[in-house]
Amino acid sequence: MSRKKNKSKGQRGVAAALATFQGDSMAIDTEVTSIQDHPAPTDGELTSTTSSASLKRPCPEDDNEDGGGWQTIENGRPVKKLKKIPGQESKRYPGIHFSTQARLFSKINVSSLRDLILYIFADGPAPQWVSVKHRPEFRKIVAIMVPGLDEAMFKKGLDFSTYTGPTPDQAISGGAPDPDEYYPRELKKELLPEVLQPFADMFPHLWPVKAPGDDKYGKLHSPMPAMLTAPLPKSKGTGVQPVSEPHGWKNQRTRITEFLASNEELMEHGFPVHPAMLNPGEKREKFKDPEGWVHTRIENLEDGKVPEGEVQQGSVTAGREVYALDCEMCMTGEAEYSLTRISLVSWDGSVVLDELVKPDKPIIDYVTRFSGITKEMIDPVNTSLKDIQARLLDILGPRSILLGHSLDSDLKALKLAHPFIVDTSLLFPHPRGLPLKQSLKYLAQKFLNREVQKGGGTNAGHDSIEDAKTCLDLVKKKCEKGKAWAAGESQGENLFKRLARAGTAYRSTAGPEATGGAPVGKSSAAVDWGDVSRSAGNAATVTISCKSDAEVEAGILRAVKGDPDGLEVPGGGVDFVWARMRELEALRGWWNRNKLVPEDAGGPPALTDGDKKEEEEEEMEDAVSPLETCLKTLGERLKRIYDNLPPCTAFIVYTGTGDPREMSRLQAMQAQFKKEYNTPGSKWDQLSVQWTDREDQALRRALKVARSGIGFIGVK
């Protein structure tokens, strides 16, 4: 009974998708083969054939090891013909090989796989960890991200019904790195679980791949930017390249309230705690501001909501009062900074407040090169911090939103707490994650094509009004464009854009004009769950959005082979395909459903109660574990893709990360500790969770597991 259900849900869906694709493509098989066998003449050749040139089919005895092909006859003499796709027995068949003599001293990482793609198809550096043979002969590259796999699965005799993954204790290694940790492991079919044996038919090795992250701060970074963002070449690295919108981009006006930092985010990033951020109860009732601090007059967060009837149609401010804030500080002690200037700008750009402030303590360093403040400016000033606090409490109310860049520093200088914050350092995060942040100068260059802080490092210093208006314009543009705008941008170049710009063709694929390599650009496709056009994949030539791994499989094959009419996917398919399968990731709980936003965010849809009940019934009826069933389906799916790839195609499968579950649990525990610890009036021994060196070491071990991904590299 359960097997029938599994077949109808999984195999039948894949079969239907493939049948539709194959049915559409059968009509063009002959045509595609003809195109591959008979490369089209170049523009120059077409011109010459209209006069003294003609095309003829060579005699059978003219065939070499690569088979026959068209010849161009000019003035009665044949010109050397373009080479066909080489056969697998050909000496010039491409390959990617590992040798024990390779320069390998640590694990490869996700960016190593990206650089391999760039080396084969564009201007990337040659890899030192593998040998790439006959690079010009590669026709296509397919890279598939499959979170949920780990190295421990690929051991014969494993009981998948009880398998939960490697433990953090297994990640401990002392002394010098062991080559067994970073050398690839040879795949032998007889030594693999039956459900994973198809991998041995496609790939010679299993590669340990290190996921991006920061061991010092216990952070795992997303593997998506590591793969889909290429470093800028040195020739282009002289300045920041302004952001460009992908083809077909459509703005989605978004209210500023959608960008408000949550209570958890504010506490995690060290913002002053406002009593309205605390849950009603004893803690809020006993809340007391630290000495010298104040908080805005807001009883509950709900007081900030504006009834829809009062909101002007199409307004991005949603009836709220929005102020951009920036402060300048000078040193009044060792590692102690005090407020010396405050600037407050309203949504329409008018200056609401711009005051110099004299600190209570003597200034020991004016930091003029950054603050722009001098002794001559401060000496006649009588305005104190308390005066500024009083004025801000009159200006800021329940419907007021403060925005700025790294506002936690400004609010600490003001000794002021406010619960409604939009911070551009959070809105445009650094691609490598915290504690790194993008500078305001960089954000202005990248997203506003504007130069600011020109006085930085000189006696002119920064201008707080200019900085506040820059933050205001960044947020305005984000509201106008939508949440997805600039979400995939980082300090680099989108991989799909790089391939389109610098993709290289060679004589064997593009004719005599490409001898030595010619930058003609490479077409690409992104196949993923959700709305791909709203992600980093939006820069691909073709985007294919999916709702299941079966649709991803069909989308990959469609991208590789092309559409019959060539209207969406060009005939003959694209050169590079990146895709992601997520059903194994969802099954193993690697994907955090609590962070699920609308389905176009790219994650698996949340399970309904009906889905959960059906899954439980199937698990009870079927002796085979759900994990084993999912792995079997995955192996078969990847094998079908591999079998349908054209010759001379590089095939890459990688997980992106290792198991992040224990790391996520400990990070949530750490965040809760920081939240309670930073709450004014809290006592360390009364916190609901404790964070000691023991928990810190456990997080480091869990992070090592989370950063232990795997990958597979082969050539069809």
Side-chain angles (χ1 to χ4, degrees):
M1 176 70 177
S2 63
R3 291 185 176 86
K4 292 182 179 179
K5 291 182 180 179
N6 288 336
K7 184 174 181 181
S8 63
K9 292 173 63 179
Q11 297 173 351
R12 228 170 33 176
V14 175
L18 288 175
T20 302
F21 170 77
Q22 291 169 350
D24 291 340
S25 63
M26 283 179 62
I28 62 163
D29 282 347
T30 304
E31 181 181 349
V32 172
T33 304
S34 175
I35 293 173
Q36 293 175 343
D37 286 350
H38 316 307
T42 63
D43 291 340
E45 291 170 340
L46 285 174
T47 302
S48 63
T49 58
T50 59
S51 54
S52 59
S54 62
L55 294 175
K56 75 170 186 176
R57 185 70 176 174
C59 299
E61 54 269 21
D62 293 334
D63 292 356
N64 58 16
E65 64 177 9
D66 301 315
W70 290 101
Q71 279 185 299
T72 302
I73 305 300
E74 294 182 358
N75 299 323
R77 295 185 179 182
V79 177
K80 187 174 181 180
K81 62 187 177 183
L82 304 184
K83 295 182 180 179
K84 283 183 56 181
I85 296 178
Q88 290 193 359
E89 302 302 322
S90 170
K91 294 181 180 180
R92 60 186 182 87
Y93 200 83
I96 303 174
H97 306 288
F98 171 73
S99 168
T100 54
Q101 305 301 317
R103 295 169 58 185
L104 187 63
F105 306 106
S106 62
K107 287 183 180 180
I108 64 170
N109 49 41
V110 175
S111 59
S112 302
L113 301 176
R114 175 205 64 210
D115 291 344
L116 175 63
I117 295 169
L118 288 174
Y119 173 69
I120 295 174
F121 265 1
D123 53 359
Q128 301 295 317
W129 46 282
V130 287
S131 171
V132 179
K133 300 289 183 67
H134 304 293
R135 172 172 58 153
E137 300 296 343
F138 281 97
R139 264 53 176 185
K140 296 179 185 293
I141 301 176
V142 175
I144 306 176
M145 181 175 169
V146 187
L149 291 170
D150 59 54
E151 185 173 359
M153 287 179 171
F154 290 79
K155 294 181 180 178
K156 191 173 182 65
L158 188 67
D159 185 359
F160 289 106
S161 62
T162 59
Y163 180 75
T164 58
T167 64
D169 291 335
Q170 293 173 325
I172 301 175
S173 62
D178 185 352
D180 289 341
E181 289 185 5
Y182 56 81
Y183 264 62
R185 165 186 159 194
E186 186 177 358
L187 289 178
K188 296 182 179 180
K189 201 167 187 177
E190 64 274 12
L191 299 180
L192 297 178
E194 184 178 355
V195 294
L196 295 176
Q197 288 181 358
F199 280 80
D201 295 329
M202 299 180 284
F203 308 104
H205 296 94
L206 180 154
W207 285 84
V209 180
K210 192 172 185 178
D214 191 319
D215 292 334
K216 180 179 179 180
Y217 294 97
K219 297 289 185 180
L220 176 70
H221 300 158
S222 170
M224 297 287 282
M227 171 59 79
L228 300 182
T229 303
L232 289 171
K234 292 182 180 179
S235 59
K236 288 193 65 180
T238 55
V240 178
Q241 299 299 312
V243 65
S244 59
E245 296 169 6
H247 178 71
W249 173 268
K250 293 182 180 179
N251 293 342
Q252 290 189 349
R253 283 175 61 86
T254 306
R255 291 181 174 183
I256 193 172
T257 49
E258 295 292 315
F259 302 117
L260 285 171
S262 66
N263 290 347
E264 291 74 18
E265 287 176 315
L266 293 177
M267 292 184 177
E268 180 184 355
H269 293 90
F271 280 81
V273 177
H274 191 285
M277 296 163 57
L278 303 175
N279 294 326
E282 184 178 357
K283 286 186 178 180
R284 182 186 287 192
E285 293 173 0
K286 292 186 177 182
F287 180 89
K288 185 178 180 180
D289 286 312
E291 184 178 355
W293 283 69
V294 296
H295 63 267
T296 51
R297 303 181 185 101
I298 302 171
E299 293 295 329
N300 300 292
L301 296 180
E302 291 73 19
D303 296 341
K305 295 181 179 179
V306 180
E308 284 298 321
E310 299 180 23
V311 178
Q312 184 178 356
Q313 186 175 5
S315 171
V316 295
T317 60
R320 309 290 282 268
E321 299 168 349
V322 182
Y323 300 99
L325 171 69
D326 189 70
C327 298
E328 302 295 347
M329 283 80 80
C330 296
M331 292 188 68
T332 53
E334 187 176 351
E336 179 184 6
Y337 290 84
S338 297
L339 179 73
T340 50
R341 182 183 178 185
I342 176 176
S343 298
L344 195 68
V345 179
S346 65
W347 183 257
D348 62 5
S350 60
V351 178
V352 177
L353 182 65
D354 185 30
E355 292 278 354
L356 292 172
V357 183
K358 178 171 285 188
D360 296 332
K361 296 181 179 181
I363 297 174
I364 63 174
D365 187 350
Y366 287 87
V367 204
T368 304
R369 62 191 183 279
F370 298 116
S371 68
I373 304 297
T374 63
K375 184 178 185 300
E376 292 73 22
M377 295 170 62
I378 292 295
D379 280 348
V381 174
N382 295 317
T383 304
S384 68
L385 174 61
K386 288 186 177 180
D387 296 331
I388 296 299
Q389 288 175 335
R391 294 184 65 177
L392 288 175
L393 291 179
D394 290 336
I395 295 172
L396 303 176
R399 295 185 178 182
S400 300
I401 293 176
L402 278 178
L403 65 85
H405 190 76
S406 295
L407 265 183
D408 54 307
S409 299
D410 299 296
L411 292 177
K412 287 174 182 176
L414 288 165
K415 295 185 177 180
L416 173 76
H418 186 69
F420 303 119
I421 302 293
V422 175
D423 196 316
T424 51
S425 69
L426 304 180
L427 212 55
F428 302 90
H430 195 284
R432 290 170 56 192
L434 292 170
L436 300 177
K437 293 183 178 181
Q438 312 267 32
S439 69
L440 183 61
K441 182 181 182 70
Y442 172 82
L443 294 179
Q445 292 173 324
K446 182 76 173 178
F447 301 112
L448 300 177
N449 197 18
R450 179 189 305 173
E451 291 289 338
V452 299
Q453 300 179 348
K454 293 182 180 180
T458 68
N459 288 335
H462 295 180
D463 183 344
S464 52
I465 291 180
E466 179 188 55
D467 289 354
K469 289 184 175 181
T470 300
C471 292
L472 191 65
D473 290 342
L474 283 168
V475 174
K476 284 182 177 180
K477 198 161 186 179
K478 186 77 170 179
C479 291
E480 187 66 32
K481 298 291 185 180
K483 282 187 175 182
W485 180 75
E489 292 292 335
S490 57
Q491 292 180 336
E493 184 177 15
N494 184 288
L495 178 63
F496 302 107
K497 292 181 181 178
R498 169 68 70 82
L499 291 173
R501 177 181 64 80
T504 304
Y506 299 90
R507 182 186 181 96
S508 58
T509 55
E513 293 79 4
T515 300
V520 298
K522 295 288 185 180
S523 57
S524 58
V527 186
D528 197 5
W529 287 60
D531 185 356
V532 185
S533 64
R534 314 301 294 185
S535 69
N538 58 17
T541 311
V542 177
T543 58
I544 301 178
S545 301
C546 308
K547 296 181 180 178
S548 68
D549 281 359
E551 292 185 9
V552 172
E553 177 186 355
I556 293 171
L557 296 179
R558 178 187 171 203
V560 167
K561 295 188 176 182
D563 288 340
D565 54 14
L567 294 179
E568 293 186 25
V569 184
V574 298
D575 301 308
F576 171 67
V577 180
W578 177 87
R580 176 166 55 164
M581 295 183 174
R582 308 203 68 177
E583 289 178 359
L584 178 62
E585 175 189 13
L587 175 68
R588 298 199 65 194
W590 286 25
W591 192 84
N592 188 355
R593 292 185 184 276
N594 294 327
K595 292 185 178 181
L596 227 168
V597 289
E599 289 186 6
D600 64 358
L607 290 177
T608 64
D609 292 338
D611 293 332
K612 293 177 181 177
K613 184 176 180 181
E614 184 176 347
E615 282 189 1
E616 291 172 359
E617 291 176 354
E618 291 181 359
E619 290 176 19
M620 293 177 63
E621 294 175 5
D622 201 335
V624 180
S625 72
L627 177 58
E628 188 171 0
T629 301
C630 188
L631 289 172
K632 184 175 185 296
T633 302
L634 173 65
E636 293 171 347
R637 183 165 283 135
L638 292 174
K639 188 61 167 64
R640 282 194 297 270
I641 293 172
Y642 178 83
D643 291 340
N644 280 277
L645 295 178
C648 303
T649 297
F651 190 37
I652 300 172
V653 173
Y654 70 104
T655 61
T657 70
D659 190 341
R661 291 173 294 182
E662 178 64 9
M663 180 204 67
S664 298
R665 184 188 72 82
L666 289 168
Q667 286 177 337
M669 180 178 169
Q670 185 184 45
Q672 180 65 24
F673 168 78
K674 289 181 178 179
K675 175 181 177 181
E676 296 182 11
Y677 183 80
N678 291 328
T679 301
S682 62
K683 296 182 179 180
W684 187 86
D685 58 348
Q686 296 178 357
L687 302 181
S688 64
V689 295
Q690 298 294 327
W691 192 263
T692 65
D693 183 66
R694 180 179 178 180
E695 285 76 24
D696 192 66
Q697 292 300 319
L699 175 58
R700 292 179 186 277
R701 291 193 296 270
L703 176 64
K704 185 168 183 179
V705 172
R707 296 190 67 184
S708 298
I710 58 175
F712 307 87
I713 305 167
V715 178
K716 170 65 185 295

